[in-house]
Amino acid sequence: MRLKNVFAGLRSLFHKERFEQDLDAEVGDYIEASTSEKMRAGMDREEALRAAHLELGSVEGIKEEIRVVGWERALESLWQDIRYAARLFTKDFGYTSAVLLALAIGIGANTALFTLFSAVALKPLAVPHPEELVSLSRTTPESPRYGNFSFADYLYYRDHNTLFAGLAAESPSGLRVSGLSGSGLGRSGSEPVTVLFVTANYFSTYGVHPILGREFRSEEDELAAGPYPVLLSENYWDRRFGRDPGVLGQVLALSGFRAMVIGVTPRNFMGTRPEVPDIWIILSARGDLRGRAVDRTRLCCALTGRLKPGAKLPQAQAELLALAESLRHEYQPAEREWNVHAAVAAPFGPNHDNILRIFVVLQIAMGLVLLIACTNVAGLLLGKSAARQREIAVRLSLGATRRRLVRQMLTEGVFIAVIAGFAALLCSWQALALVRRILFESLAAQGNTLALDVTPDFRVFLYTLGISALGGISFALAPALQFSRPELVSALKEETAGFDARRKHRMHGVLVALQIAVCLALLIGAGLLTSSSTRLLSVDPGFETRTVLNITITGAQNLGYSTVRAHESQKQLEERLRALPGVVSLCVASRVPLGGNVTTTRVTPQVDGSSPSNGQQVHFPYSYVSSGYFQTLGIPLLRGRPFSVEELTTNAPVAVISDALAHRFWPDGDALGKRLTVGSAAETHSASFRAPYFQAAEIVGIAHDIYSVDLNAPDPGAVYLPRPPDDWNGTLLVRVNGEPESVALAIIAEFRKAEPRLTVSSETLRETIASGGIAAVFHVSAIISAAIGIIGFVLAAVGVYALVAYSVSQQTREVGIRMALGARPGDVVGLLLKQISKWVALGLLSGAALGVALSLSLSSRVFLQGARILDPGVIAATSLLTGGLAILAAYFPVRRATALDPAVTLRFE
């Protein structure tokens, strides 16, 4: 019988009228047969016919069950539901506008976030066959991803692999270009540019060709003198040269060496970089090619390769691991374990994991905003469905099934949600395009270019459609289930008792509690992040931050100075700065505390002059420091002394260690006079710093512990080494007396007098800490979370008001009766607010628990690795704010209901 109905449904797709005729005939034959059978049992025809109808049930209901067997009937009924939903929503403009606005805000926020994520992390590189491009990273136990290679390592992998059609190296830098005309060059006659040093096969590896001029040639990889060939990005060519083709052949001065423009790259091409370079220059311009070809201690380059046709990423990974093993055994001691990791190249590649983490955090918050919006719309649908109670009851009495009604109401919800989703898609697209234009103009004014295409693609369309359909089902399901089971007799008489009033008010209360809980969770998250960022900056790091300036300058060696001249110039500058009014002391350090660029080295305590104690070999942060370091930063020496001038001049094997490190290695004795092995002959570090290696460094001082790596906890140990006499460093730390801003201006002016081409910037250490590391992450996250919280706050306020207003309107008769019997308005207001207050309290408790749980989870997994960010004051304040909002939103409709004349209320009821 079921198979027969299916075939009947398929036939009806092409013969609808005939199918209806056959269906009527089949039902009529069944009723006639049943009637005849009952007449043979002794009933008269009218009684038998009535009994047959009662036995069969609703004729239209039976027909409907047969109709829905065919899939085409389902499509037809879906189309009917869509048309009915369209007619329904066009009848009430105010209701439709409110629903669309609430959904558009929630869906639009999620769509905008996903569009950004798709543009940054999901879109492939805009190059031919991007699936063939592979990014290589050097891994160590201390740095599991994204480590650079030495130039010597690059040559080894390039010459010994069999699966790459090309392997290119790149090294970013910030330089200054001069020799140009026009405005924007500043007093120094030069301007900063973003430069990418690359090997000659870089563009052929990516499969990108210049739009003007030519690319690098292989023989240019070995140039020993300038002018060196460079290519301009189309963005920079347009911005700085007005697309003048005469730029080809022009010679530029790049921080002291000559460069000739040979071509222009396509617009927005940036490889795997986070921004579009202004200039590409041949890597040989770095100089000392012969030395770099054998020096494996200077890590300088990121590598990108293109697989040969037919080669697969796992094969390439296996070959790279084998090459790394051979290279390690041939050139590096086995004690220093490192390997190579290969991954498909992608835009912003080195930052992909961080982008994914940020997206997860923001997606959770945006999902909560959408939940508030859906709850808001669910409250509006409850009111709309209640007004349709007689229509629903009539349809049920005529044979419609509950499943059919629920499906129709869900279709209505999805229909309006999809419309809101596409409206939100258009609005978010335009908003992102506007923000992108403003951001790009701001970056361009600073000499930076970011390529970000926020045009929606199929992923964004699918995502928007998916969350719209999910949102439509989520907010329409509760009203559909509740109002598809009315009491038919009461509903047909248009009495409000047709629907279970207690169940209805419970549903309203649950929705109120849900909106308050989600809103409070968002506000608690934003408040805790804001409080944490403020609290982080108030932590005493153990050194002076307000009166110490961090002066950053362009290295003199990039201006074409010889080593001798560079150090002589730096020495003269330091003497001139010490003579300035307001300068108390200054020093040079290889890294700024809490300024990033943390470098670590292996530290081993010596026993009996050579043997390590208990095999302790742990990596700790280290810094090269000049004289006056501890005085400038205000770090007290608990025992011992700072470095002498002679020790600094001769690079003596001495060290100052932190108190924590002294207690770690010598818990029962004095560390002064003891010796450490610092580093090893095989260790390498960033090319910005010299790799330390002292077989036996004498400890001459014990310094107080500071927070130089992380504001959450003091350093587990730290080593201070004398700054090598031939080491150039572009960072000065200057302690001042008075206003740091005025002294900073005087320092910069002094630099400009000494060397106009120098780029000099200044900020206090407090500003350095606030703009870098975890403090910046917290600050940005707090701003974004606050914006999301405000959106949720507004949506929740509107939603609570709408729900309470509708709930009170359903109790108008009860209010009228109470008022007619002598109840005072204040008593009635208190009674109604008491009913709402229990749901408000439930929402506050749930929201506080949810907010604390989310904040702890996200901070431990994404931001601070277990940092303590709970603040009872923030939780209490946000709870009071949200609770006050809910009571205030509920008060106005309640107060308005008690202001009505009881006689008028009862007459209309």
Side-chain angles (χ1 to χ4, degrees), residues 6 21 34 86 99 207 231 317 341 430 432 463 543 564 593 623 630 663 681 695 718 734 776 858:
V6 171
Q21 294 173 1
S34 180
V99 171
L231 285 91
Q317 176 69 74
H341 175 80
Q430 295 300 320
L432 284 175
Y463 178 82
F543 56 89
V564 175
S623 301
F630 299 102
H663 280 88
Q695 288 184 331
V734 183
L858 295 177

Side-chain angles (χ1 to χ4, degrees), residues 335 601-607 609-620 661 665-666 674-680 683 694-697 699 719:
E335 64 176 355
T601 189
R602 182 173 300 174
V603 180
T604 308
Q606 294 291 312
V607 176
S610 60
S611 302
S613 174
N614 299 323
Q616 300 180 74
Q617 297 182 358
V618 186
H619 281 73
F620 292 97
L661 188 59
F665 288 148
W666 293 278
K674 301 295 193 300
R675 295 185 180 274
L676 296 169
T677 297
V678 181
S680 69
E683 278 197 319
F694 293 106
Q695 288 184 331
I699 300 173
V719 179

Side-chain angles (χ1 to χ4, degrees), residues 42 191 231 306 342 388 406 412 496 603 615 647 680 703 733 765 889:
E191 65 179 8
L231 285 91
R306 179 174 288 276
R388 297 168 58 191
V406 169
E412 295 171 4
T496 56
V603 180
E647 289 168 338
S680 69
L733 299 177
L765 284 188

Side-chain angles (χ1 to χ4, degrees), residues 546-618:
R546 296 180 183 274
T547 61
V548 176
L549 293 173
N550 178 11
I551 308 294
T552 304
I553 60 176
T554 300
Q557 74 274 27
N558 289 336
L559 296 175
Y561 287 6
S562 65
T563 302
V564 175
R565 183 182 176 189
H567 290 286
E568 185 64 29
S569 297
Q570 185 177 17
K571 183 178 179 181
Q572 292 175 0
L573 274 172
E574 291 179 13
E575 293 301 325
R576 294 173 66 172
L577 292 183
R578 286 190 175 93
L580 288 176
V583 173
V584 177
S585 63
L586 62 82
C587 66
V588 178
S590 61
R591 70 181 182 94
V592 178
L594 295 174
N597 294 325
V598 177
T599 53
T600 63
T601 189
R602 182 173 300 174
V603 180
T604 308
Q606 294 291 312
V607 176
D608 297 330
S610 60
S611 302
S613 174
N614 299 323
Q616 300 180 74
Q617 297 182 358
V618 186

Side-chain angles (χ1 to χ4, degrees), residues 269-503:
F269 173 67
M270 59 182 184
T272 57
R273 303 298 306 165
E275 63 179 0
V276 179
D278 296 319
I279 295 175
W280 280 264
I281 184 169
I282 198 71
L283 188 61
S284 58
R286 287 280 195 187
D288 191 21
L289 290 181
R290 292 185 179 180
R292 288 176 178 271
V294 296
D295 184 1
R296 302 184 185 277
T297 66
R298 300 178 66 181
L299 306 182
C300 60
C301 305
L303 306 186
T304 303
R306 179 174 288 276
L307 294 173
K308 292 180 178 179
K312 303 298 181 184
L313 182 60
Q315 296 173 324
Q317 176 69 74
E319 182 180 58
L320 289 170
L321 290 177
L323 290 176
E325 181 73 14
S326 299
L327 183 61
R328 185 167 58 248
H329 285 299
E330 184 174 356
Y331 294 104
Q332 303 283 358
E335 64 176 355
R336 182 67 174 175
E337 293 295 328
W338 56 271
N339 266 310
V340 180
H341 175 80
V344 175
F348 306 90
N351 302 300
H352 184 272
D353 288 349
N354 292 332
I355 292 171
L356 182 60
R357 291 174 181 172
I358 294 173
F359 172 74
V360 170
V361 175
L362 295 180
Q363 187 58 64
I364 292 174
M366 291 298 190
L368 293 178
V369 171
L370 181 59
L371 179 59
I372 294 177
C374 290
T375 307
N376 209 328
V377 175
L380 295 173
L381 278 182
L382 282 174
K384 191 70 173 179
S385 300
R388 297 168 58 191
Q389 59 182 351
R390 191 168 188 274
E391 171 206 335
I392 295 173
V394 169
R395 296 187 64 178
L396 286 171
S397 66
L398 292 178
T401 62
R402 186 186 181 214
R403 183 177 63 181
R404 180 70 179 82
L405 288 178
V406 169
R407 189 179 69 187
Q408 177 187 319
M409 299 178 78
L410 289 179
T411 302
E412 295 171 4
V414 173
F415 173 77
I416 193 68
V418 169
I419 293 178
F422 279 105
L425 178 63
L426 293 175
C427 293
S428 62
W429 179 18
Q430 295 300 320
L432 284 175
L434 177 62
V435 171
R436 174 183 175 275
R437 185 165 62 251
I438 295 174
L439 176 63
F440 282 17
E441 290 176 355
S442 175
L443 290 174
Q446 302 174 18
N448 298 317
T449 304
L450 180 68
L452 195 64
D453 182 10
V454 295
T455 304
D457 57 12
F458 75 96
R459 296 185 186 89
V460 177
F461 280 108
L462 290 178
Y463 178 82
T464 304
L465 181 62
I467 63 171
S468 299
L470 181 62
I473 292 173
S474 64
F475 67 70
L477 187 60
L481 294 177
Q482 177 175 344
F483 287 98
S484 60
R485 299 182 62 180
E487 297 177 11
L488 293 180
V489 176
S490 300
L492 290 172
K493 292 180 180 180
E494 294 186 312
E495 297 178 0
T496 56
F499 294 86
D500 187 344
R502 184 174 58 183
R503 179 158 48 93

Side-chain angles (χ1 to χ4, degrees), residues 24 117 138 167 233 267 451 570 710 777 812 898:
D24 290 338
F117 176 69
R138 188 176 189 271
L167 187 64
S233 70
R267 180 175 294 275
Q570 185 177 17
D710 191 344
V777 172
T812 303
T898 59

